[in-house]
Amino acid sequence: MAKTKKVVQFMPTDIKEELLAKYPPKVARKRAKQIMINEATESEAPPEILANVRTIPGIITMRGCTYAGCKGVIMGPTRDIVNITHGPIGCGFYSWLTRRNQTDAGEDGENYMPYCFSTDMQDSDIIFGGEKKLAAAIQEAYDLFHPKGICVFATCPVGLIGDDIHAVCKKKKAEFGDCNVFAFSCEGYKGVSQSAGHHIANNQVFTHLVGENTEPRTEEYKINLLGEYNIGGDGFEIDRILKKCGITNLATFSGNSSYDQFASAQHADLSCVMCHRSINYVADMLETKYGIPWIKVNFIGAASTAKSLRKIGQYFGDKKLIDRIEEVIAEEMPEVEAVAADVRPRTEGKTAMLFVGGSRAHHYQDLFSEMGMKTLSAGYEFAHRDDYEGRQVIPNLTVDADSRNIEEIDVEADPELYSPRKKPEEIKALEDAGYQFKHYEGMNDQMDKGTIIIDDLNQYEAEKLVELLKPDIFCAGIKEKFSIQKSGVPMKQLHSYDSGGPYAGFKGAINFYKEIDRLVNSKVWSYMKAPWQENPELTGTFVWE
Amino acid sequence: MLLRHTPTEVKERKALMINPAKTCQPIGAMYAALGIHGCLPHSHGSQGCCAYHRSALTRHYKEPISAATSSFTEGASVFGGQANLLQAINNIFTVYDPEVIAVHTTCLSETIGDDLPQIFDKAIKTGKVPEGKTVLGCPTPSYVGSHVTGFSNMVKAMAQLAEPSGKKSGKVNVIPGWVEPCDMAEIKRLAGLVGVDITLFPDTSGVLDAPLTGEYKMFPDGGVTIPELKACGDAVGTLALGEWCSADAARWLDSKCKVPCSVLDMPFGLAATDRFIDVLRTVAGVSVPDSVAVERGQLVDMISDMHQYFYGKRVALYGDPDQLISMVEFLLTLDMIPAYVVTGTPGKKFERRIKELCADKPFEVKVKAKGDMFLMHQWIKNEPVDLLIGNTYGKYISRDEDIPLLRWGFPILDRQGHQYFPTVGYKGGLRLLEKMLTLFLDRKDRDDSEQTFELVL
């Protein structure tokens, strides 16, 4: 099908109305608050969006659960901890190698990523409790592998039957002496999405692991990279660039991470936050307890990568580093610009929609704009209002009944280790120069007026949006991919990258430009109708040539 | 080495499952429900399960898998999920308009004890189920059995829709078990060749192999219909293919609707296909046309042509019981050696059956039900094999131990073709042989020296 250039036939308000028209009244009222027309301008604050609230039953959400957010996302990518799922087999099975957290097994070679460990609870465990089996499983894992750490993850039934997984872990840890054992109460029904699992993982890894390695670190320009999971090698590319600039990344939370990285994170002088949603809790706690400031960075997009590097340079304020960063950018950019210039005539003016977990729906807009593509609509599965509207709304956030039971832990300045990395006057000087600490402006701010922002998009709305706005590309996950493609619209997975990547950093930008060019200009979309379907009526007889 | 922490020495494990050869019940129920025409599967539990099951099926089929969930919150988990399911049923019929909602449960709703029939009753009484629409379901506790058990439970729930009229229809019910959509189509084709009018359920052909046309249909044209399921009670007989997947439903029809049943192996390989065709012919009282015998003869021909490459090869297999039983028999037909056979699905019956099949053979088969791939890998390290047969997760062992992997079973996440080219029936047998031979001969071409490298094999 030769794509006819579409004009936007609907006003955003009409589209919102269309999306809501089919719903029962109660559902429509709720969804109306989760679908907003972006009106952010320089002078006015964007309107409020309803986010991080319970999912509507039966609506066909894209969301997953707390266990997925905790084990699957945050702790799963750590290579030298044995992660045991305490539950029936499914949860462990489905989170086994299905997120593309690439890993370098390192010199010690410890890497449990290709394994799936589970207590495989049976009905007898549900009836009589699973604590004994869990203790035995931890013992068997210890005897087989002698890992540095064993983590235990609760699944739905564990909370209901009252297994005390924390007590079991504490006891085993004391018995072993040389293996850290701790647990996560990340039952799938907690909270309303993966998000609760992030928070639970942050709390426990901070409480039980961060700060364990007290050996001082002497490298220059030490940072932590928070909320980067090395999907398709993103973290490898960022590490390549950081290394080239002379910046030391002590700990990535948690792509290609190791036990010791978590344990040494308190030695860094700056935390750089990629995925705000999943890891801002650790960023705050590192600051409160140890005095490490944090900044938001974004290594998705070449310009954003350069900007983030400069932000790091400016923080350390050292000419040697600042110069080196400029050299690296100057070295890397020509190839990026050449590829961008090549694809641009084929991508310019095309349109995209992005509906991804809790951060990429924002970050990837940079890459699209570098190709001259416009984002018509975007949203998150499970982000909170601060990810949409910016962190300034945090004081106004209310915690509703569904999320109230997610533990908030109190962290205080460590009496011995707390040391502010910058003097107040240094901080002030940076801030006066426009530097923003502990700041994230959210997704809405960057999006054009009149774009449509949708929280917890469901199957019906996805189909409807595609039908009404006919984007040139739709970005989301595996569950959405094939229904969108069946309707004739190219679909790019921004969770798994469709086995591609990396897309972060300079090399990632090149990969992404080429990939999007391939997708939006693929000839396959012209094959959807057979010749006899294009011209179904016989108007004459064929003559053999 | 990717699995470098797997030691050669085998120690008994009682509590820790490592690298499972199974997954949990609801995904089987979801797959079975997709074999009903116009059906939206529904997962009554917290939404993570549903997301995982849809993703796993989608990755295997590269097709959209729609399913809804009750999206339990902590409150519902403590006080019961009735309100969530009632809301879900209302929302689903209003927004997505399926013909059928097929509900399964998870470990969450099973642990708290939600009562599905009572909730369905309430949904109907409060007008949430529109006229002419169907809601059915079954409990699928994840802490019992495996995905195979969940499949079987949903198939049984389908059979329970039967409303015998007292008048026989002359049709034969065939319950294919957990096979691919193309396998279901192949079973229908074979029955057509033999000339038997069958009702196949579930039937995912036409559902999970939909074309790209520019129009997305949430409910494609395929699937067994509710009237067809209701008429199952009037059939002259039921063939259940696979004890684990299909027997429960068939036996229920036998005892409740007096439809006699025959439980057979899944028709993978020569002998199992022979028995399937022979029983089908007997039940329906027809004679088998020559065209079927020709297909059979082609398979026998290929076995004889290439026997030298199969003979004596040692194989490790893992997967689901019904599939493994037929495959072990097929390997024996080829004079191959099924050395290690592992399923994650529990059942001592399975171990007995595999041992029976290999009883008079000059080798010992190591078989384990409720086993895992970690154990199988340890066996391989102690005494290697020539071929692995199983799902995608075997690729880590395949790479580490340099053993070719024949991808077969569920899930296959990294190759294509499995949903289009059947492995049941005689044609399917040919395809299995072709795939196996390609692996062996590619290996030979790779390993032969330049002096012994040959054009013709």
Side-chain angles (χ1 to χ4, degrees):
Chain A
M1 177 178 67
K3 285 222 167 152
T4 46
K5 190 65 215 148
K6 63 234 138 228
V7 268
V8 176
Q9 297 142 324
F10 290 85
M11 292 296 293
T13 43
D14 295 337
I15 289 166
K16 181 168 175 176
E17 215 167 286
E18 271 290 302
L19 292 175
L20 298 173
K22 206 173 182 184
Y23 289 138
K26 213 176 132 195
V27 173
R29 276 199 297 280
K30 182 165 184 187
R31 290 304 296 157
K33 294 183 207 154
Q34 291 180 275
I35 300 174
M36 66 171 268
I37 297 155
N38 197 33
E39 290 169 337
T41 61
E42 278 171 32
S43 58
E44 58 187 318
E48 261 183 38
I49 189 163
L50 183 68
N52 190 34
V53 291
R54 67 168 66 169
T55 315
I56 297 166
I59 205 74
I60 314 195
T61 177
M62 312 304 178
R63 282 177 172 177
C65 68
T66 305
Y67 166 85
C70 181
K71 193 271 182 181
V73 172
I74 310 269
M75 296 311 291
T78 306
R79 65 177 169 87
D80 52 2
I81 294 176
V82 168
N83 287 321
I84 302 177
T85 300
H86 185 40
I89 199 65
C91 311
F93 180 86
Y94 303 113
S95 58
W96 180 19
L97 293 166
T98 46
R99 279 175 65 83
R100 298 181 59 226
N101 313 107
Q102 296 187 356
T103 302
D104 176 353
E107 278 171 25
D108 61 20
E110 265 196 88
N111 180 18
Y112 302 103
M113 298 279 292
Y115 293 91
C116 164
F117 305 98
S118 171
T119 55
D120 185 26
M121 290 176 91
Q122 300 296 303
D123 43 3
S124 56
D125 303 315
I126 300 295
I127 297 164
F128 302 111
E131 288 179 15
K132 277 194 186 134
K133 192 174 194 184
L134 175 61
I138 294 169
Q139 185 68 49
E140 286 174 4
Y142 179 78
D143 292 343
L144 268 169
F145 308 113
H146 294 97
K148 298 183 186 79
I150 297 175
C151 287
V152 171
F153 300 86
T155 60
C156 288
V158 171
L160 298 173
I161 64 172
D163 274 0
D164 188 346
I165 55 173
H166 302 286
V168 172
C169 288
K170 203 171 161 191
K171 184 157 168 274
K172 297 312 284 186
K173 181 182 174 173
E175 271 174 43
F176 298 150
D178 62 349
C179 174
N180 192 357
V181 190
F182 57 103
F184 300 80
S185 288
C186 53
E187 286 86 349
Y189 54 74
K190 290 201 169 158
V192 298
S193 68
Q194 289 93 314
S195 181
H198 301 150
H199 198 162
I200 291 162
N202 277 233
N203 289 350
Q204 293 299 87
V205 83
F206 192 81
T207 308
H208 292 275
L209 188 40
V210 169
E212 256 212 357
N213 188 347
T214 51
E215 193 77 19
R217 298 290 292 255
T218 54
E219 298 94 327
E220 282 185 306
Y221 317 124
K222 295 184 288 292
I223 66 158
N224 295 319
L225 184 60
L226 304 184
E228 160 50 54
Y229 302 97
N230 202 26
I231 304 290
D234 277 352
F236 289 150
E237 165 66 0
I238 298 170
D239 280 343
R240 179 189 73 84
I241 298 168
L242 292 175
K243 202 170 164 202
K244 204 169 163 183
C245 295
I247 298 162
T248 307
N249 178 11
L250 285 188
T252 301
F253 283 60
S254 55
N256 188 35
S257 62
S258 63
Y259 186 94
D260 188 59
Q261 285 190 29
F262 289 134
S264 310
Q266 83 283 9
H267 295 301
D269 293 320
L270 175 69
S271 294
C272 298
V273 173
M274 272 286 282
C275 171
H276 174 260
R277 182 68 269 132
S278 65
I279 212 79
N280 74 87
Y281 316 96
V282 158
D284 280 344
M285 291 188 281
L286 280 169
E287 176 156 27
T288 309
K289 187 166 177 184
Y290 301 106
I292 308 171
W294 70 264
I295 55 168
K296 178 76 182 70
V297 294
N298 177 21
F299 288 100
I300 303 295
S304 320
T305 300
K307 191 175 157 195
S308 296
L309 291 173
R310 287 182 177 123
K311 260 170 106 170
I312 297 170
Q314 198 186 349
Y315 171 81
F316 287 103
D318 193 331
K319 186 163 185 311
K320 187 179 82 175
L321 176 64
I322 292 169
D323 288 350
R324 181 61 194 151
I325 286 171
E326 290 307 324
E327 274 169 37
V328 170
I329 295 169
E331 255 175 57
E332 299 277 338
M333 280 308 282
E335 196 190 345
V336 178
E337 279 159 1
V339 179
D342 174 44
V343 302
R344 202 157 170 133
R346 295 183 298 274
T347 53
E348 181 88 53
K350 291 208 175 342
T351 57
M353 291 183 181
L354 295 84
F355 294 92
V356 204
S359 91
R360 292 173 209 223
H362 180 196
H363 289 162
Y364 275 77
Q365 294 188 25
D366 290 352
L367 275 168
F368 281 116
S369 68
E370 286 171 12
M371 281 180 278
M373 290 177 66
K374 184 174 152 53
T375 302
L376 296 178
S377 184
Y380 296 122
E381 280 172 48
F382 51 73
H384 301 193
R385 274 185 61 203
D386 40 320
D387 304 291
Y388 287 103
E389 300 172 45
R391 279 181 69 93
Q392 70 280 1
V393 304
I394 289 179
N396 310 326
L397 294 186
T398 46
V399 179
D400 71 8
D402 294 321
S403 300
R404 199 164 294 141
N405 292 341
I406 310 304
E407 192 192 13
E408 292 276 354
I409 56 171
D410 284 326
V411 177
E412 285 170 8
D414 189 291
E416 282 155 39
L417 299 174
Y418 181 83
S419 113
R421 296 330 202 238
K422 294 256 178 214
K423 296 191 192 82
E425 57 270 26
E426 289 172 323
I427 297 277
K428 182 159 189 313
L430 278 168
E431 284 179 340
D432 287 346
Y435 206 86
Q436 289 176 304
F437 287 101
K438 223 175 162 167
H439 172 78
Y440 176 43
E441 76 282 7
M443 178 176 79
N444 303 4
D445 186 55
Q446 191 182 336
M447 292 184 69
D448 290 346
K449 196 177 165 99
T451 51
I452 301 167
I453 294 166
I454 307 183
D455 183 61
D456 188 16
L457 183 85
N458 57 52
Q459 176 69 32
Y460 170 72
E461 291 164 7
E463 282 172 44
K464 203 77 192 160
L465 268 185
V466 165
E467 178 196 317
L468 296 174
L469 287 168
K470 298 185 177 55
D472 293 295
I473 194 159
F474 189 96
C475 302
I478 184 76
K479 299 190 292 294
E480 298 87 313
K481 181 172 178 85
F482 299 100
S483 63
I484 300 295
Q485 286 192 171
K486 288 272 195 254
S487 65
V489 171
M491 195 307 181
K492 179 67 193 169
Q493 292 187 63
L494 286 188
H495 296 274
S496 77
Y497 302 165
D498 296 291
S499 308
Y503 294 143
F506 299 111
K507 291 206 166 22
I510 292 172
N511 290 339
F512 196 74
Y513 301 156
K514 290 180 175 170
E515 171 69 355
I516 297 304
D517 178 29
R518 176 189 74 76
L519 268 168
V520 299
N521 294 304
S522 164
K523 285 200 280 297
V524 69
W525 314 110
S526 69
Y527 307 151
M528 288 185 292
K529 292 278 173 277
W532 58 89
Q533 290 169 318
E534 304 260 26
N535 295 302
E537 281 165 44
L538 284 178
T539 52
T541 45
F542 285 94
V543 178
W544 294 105
E545 284 176 21
Chain B
M1 297 287 273
L2 285 156
L3 299 170
R4 63 171 70 90
H5 300 290
T6 305
T8 306
E9 189 199 349
V10 179
K11 275 193 197 146
E12 198 197 359
R13 277 172 288 126
K14 285 196 155 74
L16 186 67
M17 164 82 78
I18 314 176
N19 301 351
K22 67 166 179 184
T23 181
C24 66
Q25 283 209 36
I27 195 172
M30 188 182 281
Y31 179 59
L34 290 165
I36 305 172
H37 179 67
C39 177
L40 189 73
H42 182 89
S43 169
H44 185 53
S46 68
Q47 67 208 9
C49 313
C50 187
Y52 275 144
H53 301 143
R54 290 175 66 198
S55 299
L57 288 167
T58 289
R59 289 182 181 119
H60 178 81
Y61 288 110
K62 316 291 184 223
E63 286 291 315
I65 305 289
S66 292
T69 161
S70 296
S71 294
F72 274 50
T73 55
E74 189 154 19
S77 307
V78 177
F79 301 112
Q82 169 167 303
N84 290 55
L85 185 50
L86 291 175
Q87 258 187 64
I89 289 172
N90 187 41
N91 289 338
I92 290 167
F93 280 125
T94 311
V95 180
Y96 295 103
D97 194 30
E99 292 301 311
V100 188
I101 300 175
V103 184
H104 59 262
T105 60
T106 67
C107 45
L108 177 52
S109 52
E110 286 300 320
T111 303
I112 65 177
D114 272 353
D115 179 2
L116 285 188
Q118 179 260 320
I119 302 176
F120 292 167
D121 196 46
K122 178 131 187 169
I124 294 166
K125 283 191 179 134
T126 53
K128 295 193 166 56
V129 183
E131 196 63 33
K133 306 276 181 173
T134 308
V135 176
L136 64 100
C138 62
T140 50
S142 314
Y143 42 77
V144 175
S146 74
H147 57 295
V148 176
T149 322
F151 180 92
S152 168
N153 286 341
M154 184 55 81
V155 176
K156 188 175 175 186
M158 292 163 72
Q160 286 169 338
L161 293 179
E163 291 172 1
S165 67
K167 200 170 150 246
K168 289 289 171 196
S169 63
K171 291 178 85 169
V172 177
N173 301 322
V174 178
I175 309 179
W178 189 324
V179 290
E180 301 284 344
C182 53
D183 292 320
M184 298 193 186
E186 177 65 8
I187 288 167
K188 288 192 285 189
R189 188 188 70 89
L190 277 172
L193 276 183
V194 180
V196 183
D197 194 3
I198 66 166
T199 302
L200 189 80
F201 72 91
D203 180 4
T204 56
S205 65
V207 180
L208 295 179
D209 49 8
L212 177 62
T213 60
E215 186 200 352
Y216 166 57
K217 287 184 178 171
M218 183 178 273
F219 306 108
D221 300 334
V224 66
T225 64
I226 295 296
E228 284 171 328
L229 285 171
K230 285 183 176 166
C232 274
D234 294 333
V236 294
T238 304
L239 301 194
L241 308 183
E243 173 71 40
W244 273 260
C245 283
S246 309
D248 267 6
R251 290 194 182 119
W252 188 91
L253 282 170
D254 196 335
S255 61
K256 295 289 156 101
C257 305
K258 308 283 174 280
V259 179
C261 77
S262 189
V263 180
L264 301 171
D265 293 319
M266 284 182 172
F268 294 108
L270 183 68
T273 305
D274 281 350
R275 292 195 294 274
F276 168 64
I277 300 286
D278 204 39
V279 174
L280 189 64
R281 149 192 94 111
T282 317
V283 173
V286 295
S287 50
V288 181
D290 286 348
S291 52
V292 176
V294 169
E295 285 184 12
R296 182 181 188 281
Q298 288 168 336
L299 178 57
V300 177
D301 188 61
M302 187 154 167
I303 297 172
S304 83
D305 289 347
M306 306 308 268
H307 184 257
Q308 58 182 343
Y309 298 109
F310 300 125
Y311 179 80
K313 289 282 198 309
R314 289 167 51 81
V315 186
L317 310 84
Y318 54 96
D320 301 337
D322 294 325
Q323 287 86 339
L324 290 175
I325 286 167
S326 298
M327 185 55 101
V328 162
E329 189 183 28
F330 192 35
L331 295 178
L332 295 171
T333 308
L334 304 167
D335 290 316
M336 295 172 75
I337 299 171
Y340 312 130
V341 189
V342 170
T343 182
T345 300
K348 286 281 164 211
K349 256 188 314 202
F350 173 77
E351 295 183 2
R352 276 203 306 274
R353 183 73 201 284
I354 298 292
K355 283 192 175 136
E356 270 165 31
L357 283 167
C358 302
D360 55 353
K361 303 294 172 196
F363 56 84
E364 192 211 348
V365 57
K366 278 192 168 175
V367 53
K368 182 126 171 86
K370 227 178 161 183
D372 58 29
M373 290 172 68
F374 188 80
L375 173 68
M376 186 186 73
H377 189 183
Q378 291 184 305
W379 287 344
I380 292 171
K381 280 178 174 290
N382 282 289
E383 196 183 346
V385 293
D386 302 298
L387 180 69
L388 283 172
I389 301 180
N391 66 26
T392 285
Y393 282 98
K395 76 192 279 180
Y396 289 79
I397 300 173
S398 166
R399 181 180 156 121
D400 276 1
E401 308 298 336
D402 193 23
I403 304 165
L405 168 65
L406 192 160
R407 286 169 175 77
W408 186 72
F410 178 84
I412 296 171
L413 308 168
D414 61 338
R415 292 293 187 275
Q416 277 301 291
H418 51 90
Q419 72 267 58
Y420 292 119
F421 305 106
T423 54
V424 296
Y426 304 118
K427 290 263 190 220
L430 283 172
R431 176 156 179 263
L432 284 169
L433 293 191
E434 186 209 359
K435 285 176 74 121
M436 231 186 279
L437 275 168
T438 303
L439 289 170
F440 287 141
L441 298 182
D442 280 351
R443 178 65 42 135
K444 180 173 160 56
D445 283 342
R446 189 195 77 178
D447 294 344
D448 276 349
S449 68
E450 289 191 5
Q451 291 89 336
T452 58
F453 186 76
E454 295 197 53
L455 179 71
V456 182
L457 292 172

